[in-house]
Amino acid sequence: LKSKDILGNNPLVDAIAYGHKNLHDKILEQKTKGGLIMDEAAFEADALESARDEVMMKNKTLIIRSDVCENHFTCRPASLYRGYLNSAPPENVLRLKVLTSPLHGGILTSSEFSAGKEYQWENDPPKAKMADVLRVHEWHYIRHVQEVCEGLSDMANDVDGIGSLDGDTSLSRFTFDAAFTAAGASILAVDKVMEESKNEGVSKVFCAVRPPGHHAGPTGAVSGGSTDPTVPMMGGSQSHGFCLLNNVAVAAAYAMNVYRKKIKKVALIDFDVHHGNGTEACVSSVTPRVVKQKMAIGGNDGSGTLQFEGFVRSHKFKPWFDVSDRDAILFASCQGYGETIPGTGHMFYPGTGATYDTNPPKSFEGDGEYLTDNEQHEFGYRGGSRPYECGPRIINVGIRGPKSERSLWKRAWRDKILPAVNSHEPDLILISAGFDAHAKDDMNSGYIGLLECDYEWVTGELVKIANKHSEGRIVSVLEGGYRIQGGIVSPFARSVAAHVRALGQANMKKWNSQEAKYEREREIRIEQEKLRKQQEELQKLLAEREEVAGQPPLIDSEMKADMPPAGNEGPSSPKRRRRTATSSIDYVALNAQLEKEAAEAANKNPTTGN
């Protein structure tokens, strides 16, 4: 009972944290009697596990899927099964099949995630109602998507069976229905986590749906380089990025309206490797603003000569609930950002998402946010795109690359984003769950480079915040993730499984800033110890070199004087110092000396012929 884990928690704390309240009580009872009676504890193991199962029955995780979402084709279906997968669009129907199709060995259909005490399944979610979608999107955009789909053949393998909205985003005849079903699944997820049941209850939901949505703004594609709703759409890629309806935004707006007595605040979280510029644009649109659009009016003589130029001012307002939305919504995202090849000007898609916080913390706030030296150094604004500052709080952490930055990614969540989400005290957490930051996913251009355990970790941390503020309520919706080669063992499938596993585990812990602080200090100590050992090895090597006769030292006394004392380095100190000064060596004289020694050795040991 006196042993503690790396965070300082003893078995009693962990017993409660992971749903073993009866085990906790039993340990205390035995401790009061003067010691643990292991035989008695073992005898009651089944009863204790039964009590834990009862807790889990009220905190199940629901997995939602739909056959309708598999009718959204982005290429001819025949091409996916004839060895042409590598030439198919990254966002294709096989992404769902490796997750939820029993016939294709979907990873979520394995026994681990089967319906039972931890998981439930819903296979037929309803379509979203138009009124729910129009809280977020404009009607003219919705009608445009509908018209494009209606103009396509109902046979996706036909020549005219596949259409497009732009160079990235393809669709088919039934894509419109799939998009409304994906949004409907997200709305159903909100209904499920808000239901009150005495016997069984769902607190977390994962929606395995497509098309994805976090690049879709109020009018579809977002202007390249800006998510500011006051800036007219111009320049940049203006790509939908495979997305049609913003599922998490639609679900958040629905929750704030239908469950207004309970859902006062929402937090939208995005860990896709590509910035959720569409979600940011939707969040930015909930406050009144004035948009200035430049217009040129031609003459009436038929010559095309401009008569005058000017600006048209229009008032825009897309509230999710009320004028107080600004204080009720938080959007936080961590993604790749910057030039894919330095000096070329070619930005990592979508070109937005530079590190920025529209409302950074000013001081320590108890168990909430606080400014740290690490945060100020690593997560301050260093140029690039900035979000709309007059709307809800928006936090972006743009990780530059392309290179693996797993440690920085984790620090971004632990030291910046998670404290902000905790400080917001959301009544509902919605996750844009993209898995294309995985190290083996080609769509990330080498940015970030995560592993499955990273997705499991960040999901577990969000669960702790949900336990603390929102009665465990989390709605997660699938976004990106495209490395499906390998099927059930593909990086995409394994990453999704890690995420859903973290949602479904018995985790009753509540997020605590002191644990994050302890882990941060532990990281620093480990880094300092690592640097100390490196210095000791270097000094040992120098001593061995100096003992060799005629061997000049590799590093002179001035270089040694410049080396810092062991144990004073921080996590940002370089791991290896480059030599800036060495003793001058006469290589000609050294070569002559070596030749002389070789000749003397030959004279002492002359060879004899046969």
Side-chain angles (χ1 to χ4, degrees):
L1 288 177
K2 294 181 179 179
S3 61
K4 296 182 179 181
D5 60 18
I6 61 172
L7 297 177
N9 297 325
N10 62 34
L12 289 175
V13 174
D14 286 338
I16 287 291
Y18 293 103
H20 297 283
K21 184 178 184 303
N22 286 43
L23 176 59
H24 170 274
D25 296 340
K26 188 64 181 178
I27 292 174
L28 287 181
E29 178 185 341
Q30 297 298 334
K31 183 180 179 181
T32 303
K33 292 179 180 179
L36 289 174
I37 304 175
M38 299 308 298
D39 291 341
E40 185 177 348
F43 178 77
E44 297 187 8
D46 292 340
L48 295 173
E49 185 63 23
S50 177
R52 176 179 176 273
D53 292 346
E54 184 178 346
V55 173
M56 289 305 301
M57 289 292 287
K58 299 179 181 179
N59 292 275
K60 287 189 175 183
T61 295
L62 176 66
I63 300 173
I64 300 180
R65 61 164 300 277
S66 173
D67 290 337
V68 178
C69 292
E70 296 184 14
N71 292 330
H72 163 51
F73 294 105
T74 56
C75 64
R76 297 183 184 181
S79 66
L80 296 174
Y81 304 101
R82 296 179 180 176
Y84 299 108
L85 178 59
N86 290 333
S87 61
E91 207 298 299
N92 62 70
V93 66
L94 294 185
R95 295 180 64 236
L96 288 187
K97 292 187 181 298
V98 302
L99 296 182
T100 60
S101 172
L103 296 178
H104 291 77
I107 195 168
L108 297 182
T109 64
S110 63
S111 58
E112 178 183 0
F113 304 103
S114 60
K117 63 182 180 181
E118 294 178 347
Y119 297 96
Q120 289 183 346
W121 282 74
E122 171 59 57
N123 297 298
D124 189 24
K127 296 178 184 178
K129 300 300 182 183
M130 185 63 71
D132 295 327
V133 174
L134 290 178
R135 289 192 186 96
V136 172
H137 294 288
E138 299 289 352
W139 164 244
H140 67 83
Y141 164 65
I142 301 299
R143 181 56 182 156
H144 171 64
V145 175
Q146 185 179 31
E147 289 176 343
V148 172
C149 293
E150 289 176 347
L152 300 173
S153 169
D154 57 3
M155 298 297 292
N157 280 315
D158 289 351
V159 175
D160 56 353
I162 304 296
S164 64
L165 293 179
D166 52 57
D168 295 325
T169 310
S170 300
L171 30 70
S172 58
R173 175 81 176 192
F174 303 107
T175 292
F176 189 77
D177 289 342
F180 267 71
T181 300
S186 305
I187 290 173
L188 176 63
V190 172
D191 288 334
K192 289 295 184 179
V193 299
M194 296 304 298
E195 282 181 355
E196 296 183 1
S197 174
K198 294 182 179 180
N199 298 321
E200 296 187 5
V202 170
S203 61
K204 300 165 189 69
V205 182
F206 176 69
C207 301
V209 295
R210 55 187 288 273
H214 73 145
H215 293 308
T219 57
V222 178
S223 176
S226 176
T227 57
D228 189 335
T230 65
V231 176
M233 186 170 174
M234 61 182 66
S237 61
Q238 299 184 15
S239 167
H240 292 77
F242 313 143
C243 300
L244 296 182
L245 301 181
N246 200 303
N247 301 316
V248 292
V250 169
Y254 173 84
M256 291 174 64
N257 276 269
V258 176
Y259 300 100
R260 62 187 64 181
K261 292 184 179 180
K262 279 195 172 184
I263 305 301
K264 306 294 184 181
K265 293 182 178 180
V266 296
L268 287 74
I269 311 298
D270 193 327
F271 53 68
D272 193 289
V273 75
H274 301 99
H275 180 228
N277 58 337
T279 306
E280 186 173 297
C282 292
V283 167
S284 299
S285 298
V286 301
T287 52
R289 72 264 182 212
V290 177
V291 179
K292 293 174 62 177
Q293 179 71 54
K294 185 176 181 180
M295 296 191 67
I297 309 300
N300 57 6
D301 57 357
S303 64
T305 304
L306 296 181
Q307 190 172 20
F308 63 89
E309 290 184 346
F311 287 91
V312 175
R313 292 164 53 92
S314 58
H315 295 265
K316 300 289 185 179
F317 187 25
K318 200 74 174 172
W320 291 0
F321 177 58
D322 201 358
V323 292
S324 60
D325 285 355
R326 185 178 188 275
D327 299 321
I329 302 170
L330 168 71
F331 173 65
S333 177
C334 182
Q335 60 278 323
Y337 178 79
E339 291 182 328
T340 53
I341 301 177
T344 63
H346 185 271
M347 297 293 290
F348 183 65
Y349 180 83
T352 55
T355 299
Y356 196 80
D357 186 345
T358 60
N359 186 23
K362 302 299 188 297
S363 61
F364 180 79
E365 299 178 5
D367 194 35
E369 290 183 83
Y370 51 89
L371 284 172
T372 65
D373 293 337
N374 187 46
E375 179 185 319
Q376 291 174 327
H377 175 70
E378 290 191 301
F379 309 121
Y381 179 62
R382 297 182 180 179
S385 67
R386 292 193 296 183
Y388 183 54
E389 298 193 49
C390 296
R393 185 179 182 186
I394 294 173
I395 302 172
N396 285 318
V397 176
I399 297 180
R400 297 180 182 270
K403 61 179 178 178
S404 177
E405 290 284 10
R406 288 181 62 208
S407 297
L408 177 58
W409 180 87
K410 186 174 182 179
R411 291 197 300 273
W413 287 97
R414 185 196 64 200
D415 298 346
K416 177 64 181 178
I417 297 177
L418 293 174
V421 178
N422 175 68
S423 179
H424 185 62
E425 300 181 354
D427 301 304
L428 175 65
I429 295 176
L430 301 103
I431 303 174
S432 283
F435 302 93
D436 42 6
H438 194 283
K440 294 190 178 296
D441 198 308
D442 296 334
M443 287 291 286
N444 60 36
S445 302
Y447 280 77
I448 302 181
L450 301 180
L451 299 178
E452 295 89 325
C453 59
D454 298 313
Y455 292 113
E456 189 166 0
W457 172 81
V458 73
T459 304
E461 295 301 301
L462 291 169
V463 168
K464 292 178 185 178
I465 295 178
N467 290 340
K468 184 175 181 180
H469 298 295
S470 59
E471 300 179 11
R473 293 187 288 261
I474 292 181
V475 171
S476 177
V477 184
L478 180 64
E479 299 288 357
Y482 307 97
R483 187 68 175 182
I484 61 175
Q485 289 82 350
I488 193 172
V489 296
S490 65
F492 172 61
R494 296 198 312 267
S495 297
V496 172
H499 173 63
V500 177
R501 183 179 300 116
L503 291 176
Q505 284 177 344
N507 184 355
M508 308 303 170
K509 275 193 172 184
K510 296 182 179 181
W511 193 86
N512 189 325
S513 62
Q514 294 304 312
E515 289 190 357
K517 181 181 179 181
Y518 183 92
E519 186 176 346
R520 180 164 52 250
E521 292 173 349
R522 178 173 172 270
E523 267 187 11
I524 294 174
R525 291 195 301 269
I526 292 174
E527 186 68 18
Q528 289 176 344
E529 180 65 15
K530 182 178 178 181
L531 291 172
R532 185 188 65 79
K533 289 182 178 180
Q534 288 177 346
Q535 289 184 10
E536 288 180 352
E537 290 293 327
L538 179 58
Q539 291 171 359
K540 182 179 178 181
L541 177 61
L542 290 173
E544 292 175 353
R545 292 283 187 177
E546 291 173 353
E547 291 178 359
V548 178
Q551 179 70 27
L554 294 178
I555 301 180
D556 61 16
S557 58
E558 293 182 2
M559 182 61 187
K560 291 181 182 179
D562 292 337
M563 295 175 62
N568 292 336
E569 298 83 359
S572 60
S573 300
K575 296 181 180 179
R576 186 179 300 169
R577 288 184 175 270
R578 185 176 298 172
R579 290 201 306 271
T580 58
T582 60
S583 303
S584 60
I585 300 176
D586 188 339
Y587 291 99
V588 175
L590 179 61
N591 184 62
Q593 177 67 22
L594 293 174
E595 290 179 349
K596 180 181 178 181
E597 292 176 357
E600 291 176 352
N603 291 333
K604 290 180 180 180
N605 301 290
T607 57
T608 57
N610 292 327

